[in-house]
Amino acid sequence: EVDWFSLASILFLLMFAPLIVYYFIMSCAQYQCSLADPLLDLLTGNKHLSDIWNSTPTMTYRAAAIYALWVTFQVVLYLFIPDFCHKFLPGYVGGVQEGAVTPAGVVNKYEINGLQAWIITHVLWFANAYCFHFFSPTIIFDNWIPLLWCANILGYAVSTFAMIKGYFFPTNAKDCKFTGNFFYDYMMGIEFNPRIGKWFDFKLFFNGRPGIVAWTLINLSFAAKQQELYGQVTNSMILVNVLQGIYVLDFFWNEAWYLKTIDICHDHFGWYLGWGDCVWLPYLYTLQGLYLVYHPVQLSTAHAVGILILGLLGYYIFRMTNHQKDLFRRTSGNCRIWGKKPEYIECSYISMDGSKYYSKLMTSGFWGWARHFNYTGDLMGSLAYCLACGFKHILPYFYIVYMTILLTHRCLRDEHRCSSKYGKDWKRYTAAVPYRLLPGIF
């Protein structure tokens, strides 16, 4: 059942999330990244909505061709080039991997080749920039708003197709969820793992490609534009490229691990993931680089080093916390965390078929500090991206505000699910690890 608060939240996002993306991008293009000036112009009558809209670039054939070629290229890399990175990169897990068991008991297989796709894409990008010169490295920035319309078309098209598919030709009917509310089903999705054919998995493709592969290319294009406009790339732009590049590479290096995360294991595929991955992620996760094109910031050495340390420390916490959990799960607790045998609470739960199972919830290492300490590291890295932009505008700080809301909401969603699953055992666990994100605070 869909409660009134969930429905209200969904209607708000469906109506205003596209407008939020447009407002941020328009503010940079027309108001030098000021979020207040467009509103002041409208309130004082200096401009009308039609004036702002008429000043916004429309979709062009060039942008449509670029975007279509980009998505097609990523589909080709995803479907037709089996992973070879796992054959020569020690520690990397690629190739055909199994996902988690779905609610209907299905175990899907995935071709993990995101790192390979990222490498091929970026090798070609740099080859063009330094050798072939088929297009300018500023091509993404130069077509940024026309590409936004293309991304919206794909986002709405794939979300609508996924909903129709869920009703009429689902991949697995037993893994479909119908609430009876059109807006909720459209937003949160009906099918758990919609697929076309054996290998094209909507979740894995749209979560990672084309949005996250594009993330680093977008930042590189912003850096190229800064070089074109000002004759140099500032250290703040380099920091944003490096720190966000580490995050992107981590995602693809651990793509097989990603199959066990909340996006794949619990979320259905709807507008939330379809449109979000096509539009929200590439356009709002890259606001720092966009801002630095309009407002280049050259940081002092001490400021730059401090931000770098914060970003790297956040990444270390994020990665090591997840590593501890993964190691604990793979060995069923027969391992060492910080030189000691890990502590844990054994929980039991009843599955849908009435069978009783047991799980172990770790209460030592980083997981003894807070129940979602990996998110804490993620937030530290997010803050570092924003701090690289200085303090003159609020726009670059949207990312840390958004990530705080998103990850706090994920904490609550995950804990509600675990509380329902484990019951009294979950209360024992939360008593042993009382904090969610910040030890001693929250």
Side-chain angles (χ1 to χ4, degrees):
E1 294 182 3
V2 181
D3 61 84
W4 67 268
F5 180 77
S6 296
L7 181 59
S9 301
I10 283 166
L11 291 174
F12 175 84
L13 288 172
L14 286 171
M15 289 188 292
F16 291 106
L19 294 177
I20 290 171
V21 176
Y22 169 73
Y23 189 83
F24 274 81
I25 304 307
M26 176 277 298
S27 295
C28 282
Q30 298 186 35
Y31 289 90
Q32 292 291 302
C33 296
S34 170
L35 294 179
D37 287 352
L39 290 176
L40 290 174
D41 267 0
L42 292 173
L43 292 173
T44 57
N46 289 336
K47 281 191 177 182
H48 300 289
L49 284 173
S50 58
D51 299 324
I52 294 175
W53 180 253
N54 291 335
S55 299
T56 302
T58 59
M59 190 173 73
T60 62
Y61 288 114
R62 175 178 172 80
I66 293 169
Y67 196 76
L69 182 62
W70 166 251
V71 175
T72 302
F73 181 57
Q74 292 305 312
V75 170
V76 170
L77 293 179
Y78 176 62
L79 282 181
F80 301 111
I81 305 182
D83 181 72
F84 55 78
C85 288
H86 69 281
K87 296 181 179 180
F88 63 87
L89 289 177
Y92 174 68
V93 178
V96 178
Q97 300 292 325
E98 289 187 347
V101 181
T102 73
V106 177
V107 178
N108 289 307
K109 291 187 177 181
Y110 299 83
E111 176 67 43
I112 300 299
N113 59 4
L115 180 64
Q116 173 180 283
W118 187 91
I119 292 172
I120 292 173
T121 300
H122 284 71
V123 166
L124 292 176
W125 174 272
F126 283 108
N128 171 77
Y130 291 101
C131 299
F132 303 123
H133 307 294
F134 292 138
F135 56 84
S136 169
T138 66
I139 188 171
I140 299 175
F141 177 88
D142 295 338
N143 295 275
W144 195 225
I145 293 182
L147 288 171
L148 172 62
W149 309 132
C150 300
N152 268 283
I153 290 172
L154 178 62
Y156 277 99
V158 72
S159 304
T160 304
F161 176 77
M163 186 172 190
I164 294 171
K165 183 177 181 300
Y167 273 104
F168 297 105
F169 48 101
T171 303
N172 190 314
K174 292 182 179 179
D175 269 329
C176 291
K177 178 182 68 176
F178 298 94
T179 66
N181 185 288
F182 172 83
F183 297 106
Y184 187 93
D185 288 348
Y186 184 71
M187 172 85 166
M188 302 309 297
I190 293 172
E191 276 202 84
F192 194 70
N193 287 109
R195 290 187 163 204
I196 295 178
K198 183 179 179 181
W199 293 108
F200 188 84
D201 184 89
F202 279 55
K203 269 198 212 173
L204 187 63
F205 178 78
F206 284 101
N207 271 325
R209 284 72 63 77
I212 297 184
V213 174
W215 190 343
T216 38
L217 290 185
I218 292 166
N219 282 339
L220 287 170
S221 185
F222 291 160
K225 193 65 180 182
Q226 207 183 58
Q227 175 69 40
E228 179 186 282
L229 292 174
Y230 311 108
Q232 66 169 341
V233 179
T234 62
N235 58 3
S236 56
M237 180 69 86
I238 294 172
L239 273 174
V240 168
N241 270 262
V242 169
L243 291 176
Q244 293 188 349
I246 290 172
Y247 181 90
V248 169
L249 275 173
D250 177 90
F251 174 87
F252 287 119
W253 183 271
N254 295 285
E255 192 175 18
W257 164 83
Y258 181 70
L259 299 179
K260 306 296 191 296
T261 62
I262 193 170
D263 288 344
I264 299 294
C265 293
H266 298 292
D267 289 339
H268 290 241
F269 187 88
W271 186 87
Y272 171 73
L273 290 178
W275 180 88
D277 290 330
C278 291
V279 181
W280 187 271
L281 188 155
Y283 274 84
L284 293 191
Y285 285 24
T286 58
L287 280 176
Q288 290 78 32
L290 180 66
Y291 171 83
L292 290 171
V293 173
Y294 293 95
H295 297 277
V297 175
Q298 187 67 27
L299 302 167
S300 68
T301 301
H303 191 175
V305 170
I307 291 171
L308 180 62
I309 291 172
L310 175 64
L312 294 178
L313 179 61
Y315 171 72
Y316 173 80
I317 291 173
F318 169 78
R319 175 46 43 213
M320 288 308 299
T321 306
N322 284 322
H323 171 71
Q324 287 179 1
K325 187 176 187 177
D326 185 54
L327 177 64
F328 179 79
R329 283 180 171 176
R330 284 189 289 107
T331 62
S332 192
N334 295 314
C335 60
R336 303 190 76 80
I337 302 294
W338 292 348
K340 299 185 296 183
K341 188 172 178 61
E343 299 173 7
Y344 60 87
I345 289 176
E346 190 165 20
C347 304
S348 63
Y349 64 95
I350 306 297
S351 67
M352 292 181 67
D353 63 4
S355 301
K356 190 172 185 178
Y357 294 93
Y358 294 91
S359 293
K360 295 175 180 178
L361 301 179
M362 186 164 54
T363 59
S364 59
F366 282 128
W367 295 96
W369 289 13
R371 301 195 292 267
H372 305 274
F373 205 64
N374 52 335
Y375 291 169
T376 306
D378 207 351
L379 290 173
M380 291 170 65
S382 301
L383 179 61
Y385 312 156
C386 302
L387 290 173
C389 298
F391 302 100
K392 291 185 177 180
H393 283 263
I394 196 172
L395 180 139
Y397 288 85
F398 169 82
Y399 187 70
I400 184 61
V401 173
Y402 165 73
M403 288 299 289
T404 300
I405 295 171
L406 173 71
L407 295 181
T408 301
H409 181 244
R410 283 200 172 195
C411 285
L412 299 176
R413 284 174 61 199
D414 188 43
E415 296 199 355
H416 174 72
R417 184 180 297 112
C418 289
S419 178
S420 301
K421 179 178 180 179
Y422 296 121
K424 292 181 180 179
D425 289 336
W426 180 252
K427 292 181 179 179
R428 290 169 51 219
Y429 171 68
T430 56
V433 186
Y435 297 104
R436 290 188 173 100
L437 285 170
L438 299 175
I441 300 175
F442 173 74

